[in-house]
Amino acid sequence: MKEDVRVKSSCDEVAVLRRFRRSRDGRGEDFLLVALVGGYLAIFFLSQVLAYWIRFQSVVLRWIPFDGTIFVQMQGDLPSYVPHFQLGLIFFVVSGIYFGIFERSMLLKRGRVVIDLLSTMIVWACFYLLLSLFFRVDPLISRFYCVLVALLSVPLLFLWHRLIITIVWRTSLGNSLRKSVLVIGWNADVQKIVQRMREDFQAPYRIVGAVEFNEHHFETAPPMEFNLGSVGDLRTIVRSSNIDAVLLADLNPSVQDTTYLVNVCHKEMVTFMAIPAFFEVLLSGLRLQSLGGVPVVTIGRLPLEHLPARMIKRVVDIVGACVGLLLAAPICVVVGFLIYRESPGPIFFSQERFGRRGRPFKMYKLRSMCLDADKTDHLSQSTAVGDARMLKVGAVIRRWNIDELPQFWNVLRGDMSLVGPRPERVFHSLQLEDEITHYNIRLAVKPGLTGWAAVNGLRGNTDLNARVRFDIEYIERWSLSFDLYIMALTFVRNRNAY
């Protein structure tokens, strides 16, 4: 009897040590995050000081009235500018929280960091300049000073992030930041998750194994190295394999089995997750709500259904459309002359497309085909390579997306956005909504001049199902930084543009 007590005590001690080790790892992540954020704040503050010195103390710039005011009005000694530094730091924190640069995920992120930091600084500059516009501050805030702060901060913040990332990935800290996941069951969804995690080095999770319920086998066979046994050995596997989360992928467990899994996860202090079998898309919008005291899972509001998000996107659209129209005007004049010389007739071409919530609108393009080509446009979903109706100049402007320039007018009118799913013709939309599952989810947002599917080469005569998947991914993942990232890719990726 005493021996049994000692064995039980030993098992309890192992469990306590196991939980302590997991807790200690969490503190290590917290230390890295504090170092990253602390460095961000210090670098930004120093960037403000350096920008002040360049603007007001350097021999080259101090007497140049960049701000349209005489230097005496702008000049203030360093102590008088300190409150501006402090207020600027507060605005930087607010902007950084909005764009997520202070979150734990930044410890794994390598790509798109520059876009996140640049977005943060653009919003910071807007806040800061609005302050000087609506409130009288002393000394006056120099607009050129704000530009200098942004130009100095982005590369310095990026270098600091790269230093932290290098430390993380050249030590064992990189693997420790990823949570180890044990899967209950195995199916096509899990295989897809494993593949995506192998491709994405920024993934916060890694699947280390799978177990099956005792009464039935895996839906599909996992690789041998992932098969760790059955649910009956769950607690032992969780402890021996250093598991951080358990993912329920089996779609046939009873309520009793599921309750057992949840209880084991609670006792072992690991996260319990489940693949929602009844929801194939819009997973980022899933929300747990209470219905008559009973918890239910439903699809909540998507990012662009929130008013502040739509307002931010609209402001960016208006500014981008105005700049785009100004830059596009001389190009359209030259291209229009070439189009008319090759094929006399209207330079611009309009076609009815579906917009947000299925509202039809006229989309404008520079004509790239012979006159009356649209009369046979309904015969195919996309223009084929080497289409006989194509003008010589039309092939060039379609290759470089120049024919899309008039759509800046659609963006300014509010029919379209700079970024979003590409609009389809009404005839084809009515046909595809019955052929492709979830096709009409694309209509939840405004169509775009460019989009996530387009920059990934999914335009023209390409897989429509894949195109819809990318469009839905964009709708779920929307953020201002994601829009800026897609805009940047538009200038370097033009695959399948014909």
Side-chain angles (χ1 to χ4, degrees):
M1 184 67 176
K2 291 182 179 180
E3 184 177 352
D4 292 341
V5 172
R6 283 197 300 271
V7 171
K8 184 177 185 302
S9 176
S10 177
C11 291
D12 291 341
E13 184 178 351
V14 170
V16 170
L17 290 175
R18 157 98 181 121
R19 291 165 186 163
F20 172 76
R21 183 171 61 181
R22 184 180 290 116
S23 175
R24 183 181 61 186
D25 289 344
R27 284 197 289 267
E29 297 172 23
D30 291 340
F31 174 78
L32 285 171
L33 185 60
V34 168
L36 179 69
V37 174
Y40 279 166
L41 298 179
I43 287 172
F44 181 78
F45 189 86
L46 292 175
S47 297
Q48 292 184 105
V49 176
L50 183 57
Y52 170 86
W53 181 86
I54 294 174
R55 174 65 184 94
F56 297 118
Q57 301 298 325
S58 65
V59 176
V60 178
L61 300 180
R62 61 180 302 182
W63 296 107
I64 301 177
F66 290 102
D67 304 87
T69 57
I70 60 173
F71 173 75
V72 175
Q73 291 177 315
M74 300 299 304
Q75 172 67 347
D77 55 10
L78 184 60
S80 67
Y81 242 70
V82 168
H84 292 343
F85 299 158
Q86 296 170 340
L87 188 61
L89 192 63
I90 293 173
F91 283 165
F92 173 69
V93 171
V94 173
S95 301
I97 291 174
Y98 179 81
F99 288 102
I101 68 171
F102 302 135
E103 295 179 1
R104 194 179 300 270
S105 60
M106 291 291 286
L107 295 174
L108 289 169
K109 184 180 291 188
R110 293 182 183 179
R112 285 189 53 204
V113 172
V114 173
I115 298 296
D116 292 338
L117 295 174
L118 185 60
S119 302
T120 299
M121 292 313 305
I122 290 174
V123 172
W124 173 85
C126 292
F127 276 135
Y128 211 55
L129 292 175
L130 284 174
L131 175 70
S132 63
L133 182 63
F134 292 106
F135 299 96
R136 180 174 179 81
V137 292
D138 187 28
L140 296 176
I141 298 174
S142 165
R143 293 188 293 273
F144 189 68
Y145 158 81
C146 293
V147 173
L148 283 174
V149 172
L151 292 177
L152 290 169
S153 296
V154 172
L156 292 176
L157 293 171
F158 176 72
L159 289 175
W160 175 249
H161 178 268
R162 291 292 297 178
L163 176 62
I164 294 293
I165 287 294
T166 301
I167 293 173
V168 167
W169 289 103
R170 289 193 176 182
T171 63
S172 60
L173 294 173
N175 288 329
S176 67
L177 285 171
R178 290 182 175 178
K179 305 300 182 184
S180 301
V181 179
L182 177 69
V183 181
I184 310 298
W186 194 274
N187 53 34
D189 288 330
V190 178
Q191 290 179 229
K192 187 187 303 181
I193 293 172
V194 172
Q195 182 62 31
R196 290 292 293 269
M197 287 183 177
R198 285 174 176 171
E199 296 172 355
D200 185 8
F201 50 78
Q202 302 176 31
Y205 298 98
R206 59 189 177 96
I207 293 179
V208 298
V211 297
E212 60 179 337
F213 281 108
N214 296 325
E215 62 269 20
H216 51 81
H217 300 288
F218 293 111
E219 182 178 327
T220 58
M224 288 298 297
E225 66 271 17
F226 283 101
N227 193 340
L228 300 182
S230 65
V231 171
D233 302 319
L234 182 60
R235 298 191 71 172
T236 302
I237 295 171
V238 166
R239 294 177 181 179
S240 62
S241 300
N242 200 27
I243 301 300
D244 297 293
V246 169
L247 172 64
L248 177 59
D250 194 307
L251 306 181
N252 302 304
S254 63
V255 175
Q256 182 179 0
D257 289 334
T258 306
T259 303
Y260 167 75
L261 292 175
V262 173
N263 289 336
V264 169
C265 289
H266 286 171
K267 291 176 182 178
E268 295 299 317
M269 298 177 65
V270 298
T271 304
F272 176 78
M273 302 182 292
I275 295 178
F278 300 104
F279 296 94
E280 298 182 14
V281 295
L282 305 180
L283 299 184
S284 64
L286 291 184
R287 297 290 183 270
L288 184 64
Q289 298 180 353
S290 177
L291 186 63
V294 178
V296 295
V297 177
T298 184
I299 296 178
R301 301 175 70 185
L302 295 166
L304 280 173
E305 290 181 336
H306 295 276
L307 180 60
R310 294 204 307 274
M311 291 176 63
I312 291 173
K313 189 171 177 64
R314 184 60 184 147
V315 169
V316 173
D317 284 344
I318 292 174
V319 174
C322 291
V323 173
L325 286 171
L326 289 174
L327 296 178
I331 300 175
C332 289
V333 171
V334 174
V335 173
F337 170 75
L338 296 175
I339 293 172
Y340 188 83
R341 188 177 68 172
E342 182 177 353
S343 174
I347 295 172
F348 296 101
F349 168 75
S350 66
Q351 198 172 55
E352 193 173 61
R353 303 287 176 107
F354 271 150
R356 183 169 179 254
R357 295 180 179 174
R359 183 176 65 86
F361 70 97
K362 290 286 186 180
M363 189 184 78
Y364 299 97
K365 303 177 74 171
L366 286 168
R367 184 166 61 88
S368 59
M369 294 185 175
C370 61
L371 293 175
D372 300 327
D374 58 315
K375 291 182 178 179
T376 57
D377 230 17
H378 65 283
L379 298 179
S380 61
Q381 172 61 29
S382 301
T383 303
V385 179
D387 194 306
R389 301 170 298 168
M390 188 76 68
L391 302 176
K392 292 180 180 179
V393 66
V396 176
I397 64 176
R398 287 175 74 106
R399 177 72 177 84
W400 297 100
N401 299 316
I402 297 174
D403 62 318
E404 312 283 359
L405 292 179
Q407 289 164 37
F408 280 117
W409 176 248
N410 287 116
V411 174
L412 188 62
R413 285 170 47 119
D415 299 324
M416 296 176 60
S417 176
L418 292 175
V419 182
R422 287 295 294 160
E424 293 287 352
R425 281 160 281 185
V426 173
F427 176 85
H428 292 133
S429 294
L430 296 175
Q431 181 182 9
L432 293 172
E433 68 180 6
D434 294 324
E435 296 179 1
I436 300 178
T437 308
H438 315 304
Y439 178 82
N440 277 345
I441 292 177
R442 304 166 73 255
L443 302 179
V445 299
K446 290 181 182 179
L449 231 168
T450 185
W452 185 226
V455 297
N456 282 281
L458 294 169
R459 55 184 170 182
N461 190 22
T462 53
D463 185 356
L464 291 173
N465 287 282
R467 193 186 306 179
V468 170
R469 287 198 300 271
F470 272 83
D471 288 338
I472 292 174
E473 181 182 353
Y474 167 77
I475 293 170
E476 291 191 271
R477 290 178 52 191
W478 180 87
S479 66
L480 179 57
S481 59
F482 195 24
D483 269 3
L484 295 175
Y485 178 62
I486 293 172
M487 290 182 208
L489 288 181
T490 301
F491 294 100
V492 296
R493 291 186 184 179
N494 58 352
R495 288 179 297 166
N496 297 320
Y498 52 80

